[in-house]
Amino acid sequence: MHNVLVTGGAGFIGSNFIRYLLQVEPEVFVVNLDALTYAGSLENLKDLPAPERYVFEQGDICSRPLVDELMRKYQIDTVVHFAAESHVDRSILGPEQFIQTNIVGTFTLLESAKQYWAESSSSPNPYQGVRFHHVSTDEVFGSLEPDDPPFSETTPYAPNSPYSASKAASDHLVRAYAHTYGLPVTITNCSNNYGPYQFPEKLIPLMILNALEGKPLPVYGDGQQIRDWLFVQDHCEAIWMVLRKGKVGETYNIGGDNQPTNLTVVQTICDILDEFVPDSPHTPHRSLIRYVTDRPGHDRRYAMDITKIRQELGWQPRHSMSEGLVKTVRWYLDNPEWVEAIRKQQDFQKWVSQNYGERRYETPQEGNR
Ligand code: NAD
Ligand code: TYD
């Protein structure tokens, strides 16, 4: 039996990962440490497949006494570290919490794991059978020009936003703990995720929910920015595969092997909604698209080379972007209670007026509708 500490397990990817892990792996006990910030919700963890193998602990990853206590209490042998401030736009308006959680929080977990594993082991190699897995992002590599090759595991770091800089710093710390102390770590850098339980501040759920309400669909700048998109369950599968089969000390890039423009993503969502809710007064949903003032320092293009994980571990995405988007739109339509609970959050309303209130709205250019 593995005792797995999942940090940030009440957030989007963490909650999907816990659901996935309990389903596919009978030999795990999961401890979920989450501070329940605006981005975390216990609504994401209802009806788990094996609740008797799961426990929730509310708290901050920056609290060393708390993390030490949990490591001991549950005899943790595996840490899967998701907890982070994760939204680029929020990092632009208020970077401080990103430094705290993403850098100091990761440092705290590394120190605690290192000490607990060293003290609790009786074997000559104190790190036998334990693992620290760090979940990171492709944004640490910066922005690609149109003809640049995709990001690989050896692409130099060049983070551009306070979010990506804080994630880059956390990656470096994890790497340093492996190099200096021999801590058995793995790191994954993944592209943009989408799917069930994503907080609607991010592009895809924001567009689905705004479109359903007939609100404007705010596309930043010219909408020609490019992201690589991965359905969240495919990400969860990749992480578990890296934990089981990945080589200690290695980094793996994960991505969906697709690079649509933001505008194409939004248009596809509109078309799926036209099909699923044909009687909506807001069809055609594309008419709701509005170009708004761009994000400062907006990265133009991301693309992931997933050759390493494909060749070494045999992982590849199961969902194409169109399959994943259909499933995602369906999930938001089928879960109105979840949507209502999140929408009512005061913090979310405040965020919407803070982030979008000042942006200038323009009509779509001819040919882009
Ligand atoms: P999220 O914002 O949905 O969830 C983050 C979770 O962490 C929340 O439940 C929040 O309550 C918790 N948290 C925040 N600060 C905390 C603290 N100090 N102590 C304890 N818990 C805290 O994020 P997500 O989209 O699920 O991303 C999870 C991880 O995956 C992050 O590390 C992110 O950088 C990485 N990642 C995300 C994406 C993406 O597209 N969402 C892509 C690649 C990598
Ligand atoms: P987002 O989901 O915030 O992820 P990230 O910034 O981490 O890639 O945004 C995805 C893309 O969509 C990004 O290029 C910014 C753009 N975007 C919009 O055009 N409008 C929006 O309202 C949001 C939230 C994002």
Side-chain angles (χ1 to χ4, degrees):
M1 183 66 103
H2 281 291
N3 294 326
V4 182
L5 176 66
V6 174
T7 70
F12 164 48
I13 309 176
S15 63
N16 275 282
F17 179 75
I18 290 174
R19 199 174 290 280
Y20 170 84
L21 189 56
L22 290 172
Q23 204 156 12
V24 300
E25 188 49 73
E27 295 294 310
V28 294
F29 183 82
V30 176
V31 181
N32 176 10
L33 169 60
D34 196 297
L36 296 183
T37 67
Y38 79 91
S41 170
L42 296 180
E43 296 285 323
N44 299 353
L45 294 154
K46 285 185 169 162
D47 307 319
L48 287 177
E52 70 285 0
R53 290 190 283 114
Y54 165 80
V55 66
F56 176 69
E57 295 275 0
Q58 183 168 1
D60 191 336
I61 55 165
C62 300
S63 164
R64 180 71 193 273
L66 172 66
V67 178
D68 285 350
E69 184 200 322
L70 297 180
M71 294 295 293
R72 266 196 309 273
K73 179 171 162 192
Y74 296 105
Q75 298 176 21
I76 297 298
D77 56 57
T78 307
V79 176
V80 189
H81 176 33
F82 292 94
E85 289 292 333
S86 69
H87 190 32
V88 174
D89 290 319
R90 287 194 194 241
S91 84
I92 294 168
L93 292 175
E96 197 167 336
Q97 195 53 42
F98 288 70
I99 305 307
Q100 197 56 30
T101 290
N102 298 3
I103 305 177
V104 178
T106 303
F107 165 71
T108 307
L109 289 167
L110 286 164
E111 274 290 299
S112 180
K114 172 167 83 70
Q115 187 178 346
Y116 169 68
W117 287 333
E119 284 174 3
S120 61
S121 166
S122 52
S123 84
N125 172 8
Y127 299 138
Q128 185 93 40
V130 301
R131 180 74 72 83
F132 188 105
H133 182 76
H134 179 59
V135 179
S136 193
T137 165
D138 59 354
E139 303 195 23
V140 297
F141 299 119
S143 184
L144 292 167
E145 295 297 323
D147 295 328
D148 285 345
F151 301 132
S152 76
E153 287 78 2
T154 54
T155 302
Y157 276 33
N160 287 322
S161 72
Y163 164 66
S164 54
S166 66
K167 289 298 291 187
S170 68
D171 292 10
H172 290 323
L173 278 171
V174 175
R175 186 179 178 280
Y177 271 66
H179 189 78
T180 304
Y181 305 111
L183 199 73
V185 309
T186 36
I187 299 177
T188 45
N189 292 89
C190 188
S191 60
N192 285 56
N193 281 218
Y194 66 99
Y197 302 103
Q198 187 167 30
F199 192 81
E201 65 186 357
K202 303 279 169 64
L203 179 75
I204 288 178
L206 179 91
M207 294 298 163
I208 298 171
L209 298 190
N210 275 15
L212 284 171
E213 284 193 281
K215 288 183 176 165
L217 307 182
V219 170
Y220 294 165
D222 63 2
Q224 295 306 305
Q225 305 84 0
I226 289 172
R227 297 289 180 268
D228 178 298
W229 291 96
L230 182 66
F231 190 59
V232 64
Q233 285 157 14
D234 289 339
H235 187 189
C236 296
E237 189 177 25
I239 291 171
W240 188 233
M241 196 172 273
V242 168
L243 274 158
R244 283 183 305 125
K245 299 207 253 164
K247 229 165 99 192
V248 167
E250 291 288 313
T251 291
Y252 296 88
N253 278 2
I254 305 172
D257 229 358
N258 58 60
Q259 289 92 31
T261 64
N262 288 345
L263 185 64
T264 302
V265 172
V266 178
Q267 287 172 332
T268 309
I269 291 168
C270 290
D271 297 347
I272 296 170
L273 283 171
D274 287 351
E275 202 183 310
F276 282 176
V277 281
D279 298 334
S280 161
H282 312 302
T283 51
H285 291 91
R286 284 187 185 210
S287 66
L288 299 168
I289 293 175
R290 296 289 180 279
Y291 292 88
V292 300
T293 314
D294 207 350
R295 170 189 282 174
H298 199 171
D299 283 342
R300 193 71 181 164
R301 173 176 168 242
Y302 304 148
M304 286 300 252
D305 179 348
I306 57 170
T307 309
K308 179 174 172 180
I309 190 168
R310 186 181 265 151
Q311 286 184 350
E312 290 186 15
L313 306 186
W315 176 88
Q316 59 179 21
R318 288 183 193 272
H319 294 81
S320 68
M321 177 100 197
S322 52
E323 286 165 343
L325 274 182
V326 165
K327 276 195 182 178
T328 304
V329 172
R330 191 74 265 163
W331 187 87
Y332 280 89
L333 287 172
D334 290 347
N335 287 276
E337 295 89 11
W338 185 91
V339 170
E340 236 5 79
I342 302 288
R343 251 197 204 129
K344 275 202 205 117
Q345 253 194 40
Q346 276 198 345
D347 181 275
F348 179 56
Q349 303 299 344
K350 208 172 112 201
W351 167 250
V352 170
S353 52
Q354 205 184 345
N355 189 44
Y356 297 96
E358 300 285 293
R359 287 181 201 268
R360 223 180 41 251
Y361 278 82
E362 295 156 12
T363 22
Q365 292 144 14
E366 214 37 57
N368 273 344
R369 273 175 188 269

